[in-house]
């Protein structure tokens, strides 16, 4: 499942900003996340691993207490060496969620320091979002999405994809919100992107479960539901 990392990368900035650049002891944060999505008529699950630092990583690996013989190699997100990630390939999602485990991260930093950090993954997962409507209303010049409340979700976000590329990202939405409208003139569009009238886009709804109430820096589970909408019709 591509691009789910964006949500966590944004949220962690506030924590890392509290570190001092002059601190010679490099530090990192690790996060293990269960991802649920639809594949055909089935709900399938995968694992995402994220590592963040205020400085720069050289390399990051992680091992799970549930599968001690397997090593996960994390890669830099684009050219950003402060954010590394691993995401289960689409073809490797399974009908069974990843087992509860302790994930131990080992990092080498570009300043020559090595460090370790860990994250606990429980068995909690989120049901997939149920989207009630996803339609463009010409009278309002906006795409409107409505959905049912996802049990245990702490918050939501909405993306629009043009093919595989995310071109719109909403702000984080409270779990009390059950509708959202997107206009071409509103915020959230990436790199000056302008939607094309008559074109079909993928609309993605993400639901998030944090490890503790209001702890957006540690995500336990994400569930994802995609639908399509024709812009401007």
């Amino acid at each position: 499942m591509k691009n789910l990392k964006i949500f966590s990368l944004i949220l962690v900035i506030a924590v890392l900003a509290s570190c001092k650049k002059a601190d010679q002891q490099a530090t990192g944060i690790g996060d293990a996340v269960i991802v649920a999505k639809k594949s055909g008529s089935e709900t399938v699950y995968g694992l995402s691993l994220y590592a963040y630092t205020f400085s720069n990583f050289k390399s990051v690996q992680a091992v799970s207490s549930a599968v001690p013989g397997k090593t996960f190699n994390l890669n830099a997100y684009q050219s950003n060496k402060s954010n590394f990630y691993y995401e289960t390939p689409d073809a490797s999602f399974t009908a069974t969620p990843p087992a509860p485990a302790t994930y131990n991260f080992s990092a080498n930093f570009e300043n020559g320091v090595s460090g370790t950090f860990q994250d606990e993954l429980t068995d909690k997962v989120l049901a997939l979002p149920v989207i009630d409507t996803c339609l463009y209303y010409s009278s309002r010049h906006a795409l409107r999405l409505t959905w049912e409340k996802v049990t245990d979700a702490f918050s939501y976000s909405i993306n629009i994809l043009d093919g595989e590329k995310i071109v719109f990202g909403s702000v984080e939405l409270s779990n009390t919100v059950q509708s959202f409208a997107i206009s071409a003139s509103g915020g959230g569009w990436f790199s000056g992107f302008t939607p094309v009238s008559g074109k079909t886009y993928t609309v993605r709804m993400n639901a998030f479960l944090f490890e503790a109430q209001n702890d957006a820096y540690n995500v336990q589970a994400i569930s994802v539901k995609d639908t399509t909408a024709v812009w401007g019709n």
Side-chain angles (χ1 to χ4, degrees):
M1 179 60 61
K2 301 175 178 64
N3 297 307
L4 296 179
K5 66 191 80 69
I6 292 174
F7 177 82
S8 297
L9 296 180
I10 293 171
L11 291 180
V12 81
I13 290 173
V15 167
L16 300 180
S18 65
C19 302
K20 296 180 180 179
K21 283 187 177 181
D23 189 350
Q24 297 301 310
Q25 184 63 44
T27 58
I29 296 172
D31 200 10
V33 182
I34 296 175
V35 179
K37 66 170 185 172
K38 202 76 167 178
S39 178
S41 61
E42 302 295 324
T43 298
V44 292
Y45 302 90
L47 173 73
S48 290
L49 300 173
Y50 307 110
Y52 320 105
T53 181
F54 187 79
S55 53
N56 285 336
F57 290 124
K58 184 176 181 180
S59 64
V60 182
Q61 294 182 324
V63 294
S64 165
S65 61
V67 192
K70 180 177 176 60
T71 298
F72 297 91
N73 293 302
L74 283 68
N75 297 306
Y77 174 60
Q78 296 181 356
S79 60
N80 190 342
K81 293 184 179 181
S82 64
N83 302 300
F84 273 51
Y85 74 99
Y86 164 86
E87 292 181 345
T88 298
D90 286 353
S92 298
F93 274 63
T94 64
T96 303
T102 299
Y103 282 83
N104 292 296
F105 295 79
S106 301
N108 293 314
F109 297 84
E110 286 199 337
N111 63 1
V113 175
S114 298
T116 60
F117 38 96
Q118 65 178 210
D119 187 56
E120 297 290 334
L121 185 70
T122 72
D123 61 356
K124 293 181 180 179
V125 298
L126 281 178
L128 299 185
V130 175
I131 298 172
D132 290 328
T133 60
C134 182
L135 293 171
Y136 186 91
Y137 292 87
S138 298
S139 59
R140 303 178 185 178
H141 303 289
L143 177 72
R144 187 168 186 265
L145 190 73
T146 64
W147 59 87
E148 297 179 15
K149 181 179 176 64
V150 178
T151 301
D152 295 330
F154 288 172
S155 62
Y156 309 110
S157 73
I158 308 298
N159 296 126
I160 294 179
L161 291 82
D162 183 5
E164 294 290 341
K165 182 181 179 181
I166 290 182
V167 295
F168 174 88
S170 74
V171 296
E172 183 185 2
L173 306 172
S174 165
N175 63 358
T176 61
V177 175
Q178 290 182 253
S179 65
F180 190 72
I182 303 167
S183 67
S185 59
W189 297 100
F190 289 12
S191 303
F193 180 88
T194 301
V196 177
S197 181
K199 185 170 182 177
T200 300
Y201 295 96
T202 298
V203 181
R204 175 171 294 166
M205 182 177 175
N206 311 290
F208 302 96
L209 172 64
F210 304 140
E211 292 177 16
Q213 185 70 38
N214 297 323
D215 185 9
Y217 309 109
N218 291 287
V219 182
Q220 162 64 28
I222 301 172
S223 63
V224 181
K225 183 62 178 294
D226 286 353
T227 187
T228 59
V230 179
W231 189 268
N233 284 5

